[in-house]
Structures are given as C-alpha cells and as structure tokens.
Amino acid sequence: FLTELADQSLNQAKQEFSDLESYAAKKLEPWDIAFYSEKQQQEHYSISQEDLRPYFPQSKTIQGMFSIASKLYGVHFEQFNNVSTWHKDVSYFEIYNKDGSVRGGLYMDLYARENKRGGAWMDDFISYRKKSNDNIQTPVAFLTCNFAPPSENQEAYFSHDEVITLFHEFGH
C-alpha cells in the first residue's frame, strides 16, 4: 500500500516542492519549508494556520477523533477525572469494547510547559499481555504533544497543523 501510494504521489510532491522553491525564489533547505509554505498559503489562498484555529476547539476535535476511532474499531472512550496524573492538564480515558469490557487506557498530555520535553509522541505505559494466571493485563498508552496551552478559563483551540499532529500521534 505505502509503495503504491508513494509511486502515485511522488510526481505531485516533486511538482509542489518545485512550485514552493519558485515562490521562495531560492533553493529551500528543510528548515525553510514550513515558513515558505505558510507564506504561500497566505498569499495564494488568503488563509493562515491562525485563521483556522477557531474551527478546532479542543473538545470538538478530541470528540471527533474519538468518534472516528469508534466507527473504525467499534470502541468508545470515557474520560475519568479521578485518576492520578503527573500534571493538572493531563487527561485520562478508558477505552471500551462494544460489549463494555475494558480495552485499555489513554493519558493525553497536550500542552507545552516548562521542563517538558519538546515534540509530540505516543508510547505505551503498560503493555497488553496474558499473565501466568490467564488474566489479561490491559494496555495503557500516553499521547504527548506540546500545543499552546489554553488561556485561563478558556478552551484551547488547535491549528490545522496541530490537529494533524494529534491525529498522527493518536494513530500510533
């Protein structure tokens, strides 16, 4: 699938990169791409990442992400507020199968803060395994991002790029 996708999209990607270099009027280095892409979007389409932010409130974005996972995998998510976490902004969700059995857990740590490693990643905290007594140890994962935190008493709003990052990490 990925090889076929790459074969079908390579020429288009090369053309878009060539167009971006023409727009920038210089040979682009990797660190230039995001800057010139944003400038090109603003100039050609009169839109910026900040213009899109009001369309992606945290609650609706996460609800939408969970809804897609529910449709694809037949699971549902329930937030628990009485779970101990390493920071007040971290959320915890239980994941349930259609029959109501627990599938696993998910910690979400979405906001940048002092002394937090940069970037975005997802990893397992507890692995799925069958114990020696035949009980199942359900997995728990954590999804970590470094988005701008919400203003006091306000909901966070994500940029389109942040939504892509969130969905990407959740997909792991």
Side-chain angles (χ1 to χ4, degrees):
F1 168 77
L2 291 177
T3 301
E4 186 178 322
L5 180 63
D7 289 344
Q8 291 181 12
S9 60
L10 183 60
N11 288 337
Q12 180 68 31
K14 285 180 178 179
Q15 181 60 53
E16 288 178 13
F17 185 76
S18 176
D19 292 347
L20 188 60
E21 279 192 323
S22 293
Y23 171 78
K26 68 178 241 171
K27 181 180 181 339
L28 294 178
E29 298 295 335
W31 50 85
D32 295 325
I33 295 171
F35 174 77
Y36 284 103
S37 293
E38 178 73 9
K39 282 186 67 155
Q40 184 185 41
Q41 282 178 352
Q42 288 175 351
E43 186 174 312
H44 290 328
Y45 308 112
S46 299
I47 196 163
S48 73
Q49 288 291 319
E50 291 306 308
D51 292 337
L52 297 175
R53 199 175 285 276
Y55 296 98
F56 297 109
Q58 175 188 330
S59 60
K60 293 284 188 186
T61 303
I62 291 173
Q63 178 185 359
M65 182 175 71
F66 287 167
S67 176
I68 291 168
S70 295
K71 288 177 185 171
L72 289 173
Y73 304 111
V75 296
H76 72 274
F77 298 78
E78 186 177 327
Q79 185 169 358
F80 282 79
N81 296 318
N82 60 345
V83 174
S84 179
T85 63
W86 55 93
H87 191 272
K88 66 178 181 58
D89 291 339
V90 175
S91 302
Y92 178 77
F93 300 86
E94 289 270 309
I95 307 163
Y96 295 94
N97 294 309
K98 282 183 182 177
D99 66 5
S101 61
V102 175
R103 180 69 164 263
L106 173 65
Y107 287 97
M108 292 179 69
D109 186 356
L110 300 180
Y111 304 114
R113 61 181 173 273
E114 195 173 331
N115 299 320
K116 182 180 175 187
R117 186 179 98 191
W121 66 95
M122 185 155 184
D123 205 350
D124 60 335
F125 177 62
I126 299 173
S127 298
Y128 173 92
R129 72 180 180 102
K130 190 173 189 178
K131 297 180 184 179
S132 59
N133 63 3
D134 287 340
N135 288 340
I136 299 297
Q137 175 178 287
T138 56
V140 176
F142 56 90
L143 188 159
T144 306
C145 296
N146 275 282
F147 303 150
S151 302
E152 189 142 344
N153 299 323
Q154 296 249 332
E155 180 172 26
Y157 287 81
F158 300 140
S159 71
H160 184 255
D161 284 346
E162 289 171 336
V163 172
I164 290 171
T165 299
L166 179 66
F167 273 70
H168 170 91
E169 295 307 331
F170 182 72
H172 287 294

